[in-house]
Amino acid sequence: MKSLESESIQNENTMSRIFASSISKDHIGQNLTLIGWIEDFRDMGKIGFISVRDMTGNFQGVLTGELLSTLRDVPRQSVILVKGTIQETKAENFQVEVKVEKIELLSKATNPLPIDPTGRVKSSMDKRLDSRALDLRNYKISNIFKTRSYVLNLIRKFLYSRMFVEVNTPKIIGSATEGGADLFGFEYFSKKAYLAQSPQLYKEQLTLGLERVFEISSYFRAEPSHTVRHLSEFVSVDLEAAFLDYGDIMDIVQELVISTINDLFVHRNKEMTLFENKQEILIDKIPRITYQKCLEDLKSLGEKIEFGEDLSDPALKKLGEIYPSFYFITDWPTKLKPFYILEHEKKPELSRSFDLQYGYLEIVSGGTREHHSERLRNKLLEKGLDPKSFSDHLQTFEWGMPPHSGCGLGFDRLMMMITNSTNIREVVLYPRDTERLSP
Ligand code: ATP
Ligand code: MG
């Protein structure tokens, strides 16, 4: 195979290459350079056909003679540079084909590969995740991550248009403050430190100087359960805004979610079809159902939950049957919510809070926050937390802290909905869970 191997990566031809999706009948007769990974090779004896993929799609090459015999030794998924003349084709899937005149082997793949990246031979999710970089050579899978990138951009644009400022807060924190989820602790020089479970306290503090902030980042929770919707490291889109109530935040979330999905069906329709996502949203409002109403709905289905109890997995599954698309669950019992959530003035047992659900899947949690320092101190005590370990946070509430509200949107969970995936691991490049710490 020596003859095919290029001398150096510094191949001037690689710069003047044309992408697979760009070649058309307009190029017939032209001599062009293409690069990609060999996906398929059909050897008919005197003539051979290769299907080669680059980041934009596949092209077909036709080979004869010596080129055909040299290619017989090149394993699939090897990277080749192809020079040839564009010509008419009889193939159904291609507009034109390349009559190959020269091939250079830029990088040879081993044979056999740990998984079949074309997806023709199915591999378990674990095997695929073990070879994730190769898994991305599968068209559907790379499109999950291209769509993920596109959606992140949409979310940023949306939040900028609503006057939110993007911020970055520390992920290494000094005290396990927030309560609730289990944190990962580690040694930090001579001190104990933790990985942030959310930017909650920082984003609230920042409303004092910036009014509206958002952060898109990874957060860490020592989630011991093995579910299809929890990872130890996940990406959250957090926002916090001064002078808005939880109803206003629901309005923002509603618009964000509806505009994102509508945009996808217009500008990424091919990908949505590939994901078999049929959840075309033509509504402009997401129903808001109180926690109390959910209990009544559940009761009518034989699922009895007392006021103040959290909605269990089976309960959420049942609710998901009644409300299979997006819906908000609002006004949760105050005792189920963290210390920073404000209660209703006349009904203190209910909080100004909401979750956005997609069927059984929780995607967002949010609410109006307590902004009086003394009341916040009392809330900490009521939840059994020590105000002393919150002194940095509490003092900011004496510097003119505005009334504020916000939420955290689980970005990986939104991507599950968009890509129609039942397991969060499908939409995260290198997932981290109780068992998986590599690659
Ligand atoms: P759940 O009840 O599903 O465990 P939560 O109520 O503990 O979630 P929140 O603290 O409300 O989670 O976090 C805000 C959002 O972040 C959630 O609505 C969810 O979309 C996402 N999220 C939380 N924990 C995880 C996790 N371990 N893996 C992936 N996403 C998560
Ligand atoms: Mg929640």
Side-chain angles (χ1 to χ4, degrees):
M1 230 17 339
K2 191 84 185 89
S3 61
L4 270 190
E5 256 164 295
S6 73
E7 297 282 290
S8 136
I9 285 291
Q10 301 289 327
N11 188 318
E12 63 186 73
N13 291 325
T14 58
M15 303 301 290
S16 56
R17 50 103 58 119
I18 184 166
F19 286 104
S21 68
S22 305
I23 49 170
S24 66
K25 289 197 190 296
D26 294 343
H27 294 101
I28 288 174
Q30 290 184 27
N31 195 275
L32 298 175
T33 301
L34 292 106
I35 308 178
W37 287 259
I38 303 172
E39 195 160 271
D40 210 359
F41 175 41
R42 276 177 300 129
D43 187 356
M44 329 282 259
K46 287 216 169 75
I47 189 166
F49 296 93
I50 42 168
S51 181
V52 182
R53 179 187 297 285
D54 66 23
M55 69 185 285
T56 66
N58 286 41
F59 67 88
Q60 170 161 286
V62 192
L63 307 124
T64 49
E66 205 182 320
L67 282 172
L68 182 58
S69 52
T70 46
L71 202 72
R72 284 188 183 119
D73 298 323
V74 182
R76 304 214 175 162
Q77 297 303 328
S78 296
V79 188
I80 55 169
L81 180 146
V82 172
K83 270 173 165 290
T85 307
I86 308 300
Q87 64 181 24
E88 298 267 3
T89 180
K90 292 199 185 89
E92 275 174 21
N93 317 347
F94 298 98
Q95 276 195 57
V96 288
E97 64 190 17
V98 187
K99 184 174 184 314
V100 182
E101 281 139 26
K102 194 179 167 204
I103 289 186
E104 278 178 41
L105 179 63
L106 300 187
S107 176
K108 189 173 171 178
T110 62
N111 186 25
L113 288 162
I115 55 170
D116 171 16
T118 65
R120 265 178 240 133
V121 182
K122 294 261 175 274
S123 299
S124 69
M125 181 175 291
D126 262 333
K127 276 195 95 177
R128 284 178 36 221
L129 291 176
D130 286 341
S131 312
R132 189 55 136 171
L134 182 60
D135 190 37
L136 291 174
R137 297 229 41 82
N138 181 305
Y139 177 71
K140 182 170 173 191
I141 302 198
S142 58
N143 269 301
I144 292 179
F145 293 96
K146 287 180 187 175
T147 306
R148 201 180 146 110
S149 158
Y150 181 81
V151 174
L152 268 181
N153 189 29
L154 284 183
I155 292 179
R156 282 205 164 86
K157 281 197 291 197
F158 175 87
L159 291 172
Y160 292 148
S161 78
R162 297 299 134 94
M163 295 166 74
F164 282 83
V165 177
E166 184 162 10
V167 296
N168 304 102
T169 64
K171 303 300 156 246
I172 301 177
I173 53 171
S175 51
T177 45
E178 236 180 278
D182 287 323
L183 300 197
F184 290 106
F186 61 97
E187 206 172 299
Y188 184 73
F189 304 108
S190 58
K191 296 195 180 76
K192 174 109 185 158
Y194 302 88
L195 289 176
Q197 68 178 80
S198 86
Q200 186 61 36
L201 307 189
Y202 291 110
K203 65 175 179 166
E204 285 193 52
Q205 292 176 22
L206 293 174
T207 62
L208 194 153
L210 298 170
E211 286 200 32
R212 294 184 186 191
V213 294
F214 80 97
E215 177 162 17
I216 303 179
S217 177
S218 296
Y219 294 97
F220 308 90
R221 295 187 190 181
E223 302 272 8
S225 55
H226 204 88
T227 77
V228 291
R229 63 182 199 280
H230 290 97
L231 291 175
S232 317
E233 178 174 353
F234 65 98
V235 171
S236 169
V237 178
D238 268 273
L239 41 122
E240 202 67 28
F243 314 116
L244 298 186
D245 193 21
Y246 73 127
D248 305 314
I249 301 290
M250 277 191 271
D251 288 346
I252 290 175
V253 168
Q254 171 175 286
E255 224 185 302
L256 172 77
V257 167
I258 292 175
S259 66
T260 298
I261 290 163
N262 285 344
D263 181 293
L264 285 166
F265 275 105
V266 174
H267 296 114
R268 286 288 187 277
N269 199 36
K270 210 172 77 200
E271 287 82 348
M272 296 305 262
T273 309
L274 184 68
F275 304 142
E276 293 172 50
N277 187 330
K278 300 189 183 77
Q279 194 64 48
E280 214 151 333
I281 299 200
L282 296 165
I283 49 161
D284 56 6
K285 280 207 159 43
I286 294 176
R288 298 178 187 191
I289 300 147
T290 63
Y291 165 88
Q292 191 70 54
K293 169 82 168 64
C294 287
L295 295 195
E296 287 156 25
D297 286 340
L298 286 167
K299 198 170 161 197
S300 71
L301 293 174
E303 187 85 27
K304 212 166 154 5
I305 292 183
E306 296 298 331
F307 178 87
E309 273 180 56
D310 206 351
L311 303 181
S312 61
D313 268 17
L316 286 173
K317 289 242 156 68
K318 282 208 169 130
L319 274 181
E321 284 164 25
I322 315 177
Y323 307 107
S325 183
F326 287 106
Y327 60 104
F328 288 105
I329 305 179
T330 71
D331 306 276
W332 289 77
T334 307
K335 74 169 201 192
L336 285 179
K337 287 289 157 184
F339 70 91
Y340 47 80
I341 292 281
L342 190 67
E343 67 273 5
H344 282 276
E345 216 174 333
K346 298 214 170 90
K347 274 196 172 176
E349 69 280 13
L350 294 180
S351 63
R352 304 175 80 80
S353 62
F354 69 88
D355 279 4
L356 174 70
Q357 295 283 136
Y358 179 73
Y360 90 100
L361 190 68
E362 175 189 322
I363 295 189
V364 184
S365 273
T368 308
R369 323 302 189 185
E370 177 61 74
H371 72 280
H372 281 280
S373 70
E374 205 41 49
R375 289 207 301 254
L376 192 59
R377 203 179 301 273
N378 289 335
K379 287 270 183 60
L380 285 167
L381 290 169
E382 276 167 30
K383 296 275 179 193
L385 295 162
D386 180 4
K388 274 204 219 86
S389 47
F390 290 81
S391 53
D392 283 346
H393 185 57
L394 284 170
Q395 65 176 348
T396 66
F397 282 63
E398 287 162 12
W399 299 341
M401 180 60 79
H404 58 276
S405 303
C407 68
L409 176 152
F411 182 63
D412 312 303
R413 294 208 186 157
L414 179 65
M415 288 312 300
M416 283 174 77
M417 179 272 147
I418 289 170
T419 60
N420 200 12
S421 302
T422 49
N423 193 328
I424 193 167
R425 289 159 187 79
E426 287 287 1
V427 300
V428 174
L429 279 172
Y430 297 102
R432 292 286 176 261
D433 59 31
T434 46
E435 270 119 67
R436 187 171 282 281
L437 198 49
S438 64

